[in-house]
Amino acid sequence: MQRPYLKIDHVCRSFARGSTSTEVLKDVCLTINKGEYVSIIGHSGCGKSTLLNMVAGLLPVSSGAILLEDHEVNAPGPDRAVVFQNHSLLPWLTVYDNVRLAVDKVFSSTRNKAERHDWTMHNLELVQMGHAKDRRPSEISGGMKQRVGIARALCMEPKVLLLDEPFGALDALTRAHLQDSVMAIHAALGNTVIMITHDVDEAVLLSDRIVMLTNGPSAHVGEILDVDLPRPRKRLELVANNQYIRAREGVLKFLYERTHFVDSAA
Amino acid sequence: MSVTAIKKKLAPQAAPAPPALVRMAAPRTSIVQRGMPYMRGFAINVIPPVITLLALLLIWQLLCDRPGATLPAPTIVWNEAKDLILEPFFNLGSQDVGLGWRVLVSLERVLIGFGLAAIVGVLVGCLIGQSVWAMRGLDPIFQVLRTVPPLAWLPISLAAFRDSSPSAIFVIFITSIWPIIINTAVGIRNIPMDYRNVAAVLRLNAFEFFARIMIPSAAPYIFTGLRIGIGLAWLAIVAAEMLTGGVGIGFFIWDAWNSSRLPDIVVALFYIGFVGFILDKIVGALGNLATRGTAAS
Ligand SMILES: Nc1ncnc2c1ncn2[C@@H]1O[C@H](COP(=O)(O)OP(=O)(O)OP(=O)(O)O)[C@@H](O)[C@H]1O
Ligand SMILES: [Mg+2]
């Protein structure tokens, strides 16, 4: 069997407030292979962002370990680029400069100025944002901001791309467009991707595997669903696909039963 | 994207040339229409203060234009200090110069003192804002020092520097630095976690973080501090110069008081107020210019 690329090994995380401490995640175990697209789904507040931030290195683990290519993750870095839940573009920089900042930082020693410019433009074109390169984040729409956020993450050539509800705040049409772009980019570049989402269709459409977290506190991996649909996937063709329907059903059932469980426990 | 698409669609429809008559008429109306809002803005902003000013002058005139009045009425000020008002830049030897020159001398002091306060204040504010413990430890001390009036700093500063010119600059510096430090620190504390996360993922070093994230993100706060600071600095200059002498506007008032030239003092007060107003507007405008991006988000 091939060695795991990214290994999340019995990771726990608790937050202390005063004398009380709540355990948000308990014994989360997950291995992800190179080039795999994994979605994490779970109820709001169960600790999805917390898990992603730990993989990014923005939050330390309370116990357990996260290994990327057998090296422990303990600090953030451009090899694990994040597309944040709320895009997080720097509002005082133009679209171009937001991406360029990342390019300059990551490739300062390996590429010259012209190459860095070309690479910035290449990534902006990849998300079809080249035409708005001189605008500020306040002057573009939510979907455009999200695309720039994706370009900024992609330009770092990360080993793992971390997406925290990347399409959460978008309308259905824009969302579908962006999903298609992400699928195309994933197909072309073969990135390893971890994506958090609330949207069952989105998870099934994009992922190779769907990881379902149980409800917090002490959330852990409840179930993992393999999505064996062939790529490239076309959303319209999939609607009638039996495998797609079954995968969708599986995720919905999981989510619904957990909600039910919480209701009766409360 | 959609906006440009709509514009492109609309463009050809707008393109067909309108009939000659309409085209000749169009610019005329548009100039008038474009001019109207400016005229209105001008009227709204200028007429009320002018009316208020005239009314106040009238009240002043009525109160002071009677036998036994202790203060000069506007007409007396005009008659006795006309040259100061009409000729700000005369120069009749080392001590007898126009108020314009005096203001410039004072402004130079203020700019040196305030400039130093701005640099030191922003740097110290950044350090303090970055550290919770520095904030907790230093904030109460700053809040106390901030209330010490400029004149109270002067004896200490004269004792330390033994020279009037650096003392005056120090007094301006120490008076205007507190709001700059405090506001900058608050701005740094309020940098959204998202920006810190972006910096962390990119592994920005301390200097890059300072220049690319801290300063732009805290800019609105920094400029609020600078604006309060320049006001205080201008307040301090008068106090400082009254005691240190020289050709500044502050000393002019003290000198006029000693030789009982009340009308001169009244004119100098107007100069000081007007310059303070302009300084505040300049810093405010710089702030607006510098924080366009941040404020709009
Ligand atoms: N810094 C923190 N201090 C204390 N508690 C925290 C902190 N960050 C997160 N939590 C808690 O951890 C839990 C999980 O938060 P997290 O943001 O990971 O949820 P999430 O699954 O991403 O939710 P959503 O889907 O709404 O984004 C929440 O109950 C939250 O209150
Ligand atoms: Mg979240």
Side-chain angles (χ1 to χ4, degrees), chain B residues 24 70 80 219 246 259 285:
Chain B
M24 276 173 69
T70 49
E80 293 192 9
S259 44

Short mmCIF file of all heavy atoms in Angstrom, two decimals, chain B residues 24 70 80 219 246 259 285:
data_model
loop_
_atom_site.label_atom_id
_atom_site.label_comp_id
_atom_site.label_asym_id
_atom_site.label_seq_id
_atom_site.Cartn_x
_atom_site.Cartn_y
_atom_site.Cartn_z
N MET B 24 -26.66 69.81 -30.17
CA MET B 24 -26.19 71.14 -29.77
C MET B 24 -26.72 71.52 -28.39
O MET B 24 -26.03 72.14 -27.61
CB MET B 24 -26.66 72.18 -30.79
CG MET B 24 -25.72 72.28 -31.98
SD MET B 24 -26.38 73.34 -33.26
CE MET B 24 -26.28 74.93 -32.49
N THR B 70 -14.28 96.43 28.52
CA THR B 70 -12.90 96.02 28.77
C THR B 70 -12.22 95.47 27.53
O THR B 70 -11.00 95.46 27.44
CB THR B 70 -12.87 94.94 29.88
OG1 THR B 70 -13.84 93.95 29.54
CG2 THR B 70 -13.18 95.54 31.23
N GLU B 80 -7.06 99.56 14.57
CA GLU B 80 -5.73 99.58 15.17
C GLU B 80 -4.81 98.47 14.64
O GLU B 80 -3.60 98.60 14.72
CB GLU B 80 -5.85 99.45 16.69
CG GLU B 80 -6.51 100.68 17.29
CD GLU B 80 -6.38 100.71 18.80
OE1 GLU B 80 -5.63 99.87 19.34
OE2 GLU B 80 -7.04 101.55 19.41
N ALA B 219 -4.34 51.87 9.54
CA ALA B 219 -4.26 53.24 9.04
C ALA B 219 -5.42 54.13 9.49
O ALA B 219 -5.20 55.27 9.91
CB ALA B 219 -4.13 53.25 7.53
N GLY B 246 11.15 84.37 21.07
CA GLY B 246 11.39 84.15 19.64
C GLY B 246 10.40 84.92 18.80
O GLY B 246 9.77 85.87 19.27
N SER B 259 2.54 94.70 26.29
CA SER B 259 2.49 96.11 25.89
C SER B 259 1.05 96.53 25.63
O SER B 259 0.80 97.48 24.89
CB SER B 259 3.39 96.36 24.69
OG SER B 259 3.20 95.33 23.74
N ALA B 285 -7.67 65.05 5.34
CA ALA B 285 -7.68 64.71 3.92
C ALA B 285 -6.63 63.65 3.60
O ALA B 285 -6.89 62.71 2.84
CB ALA B 285 -7.41 65.97 3.09
#
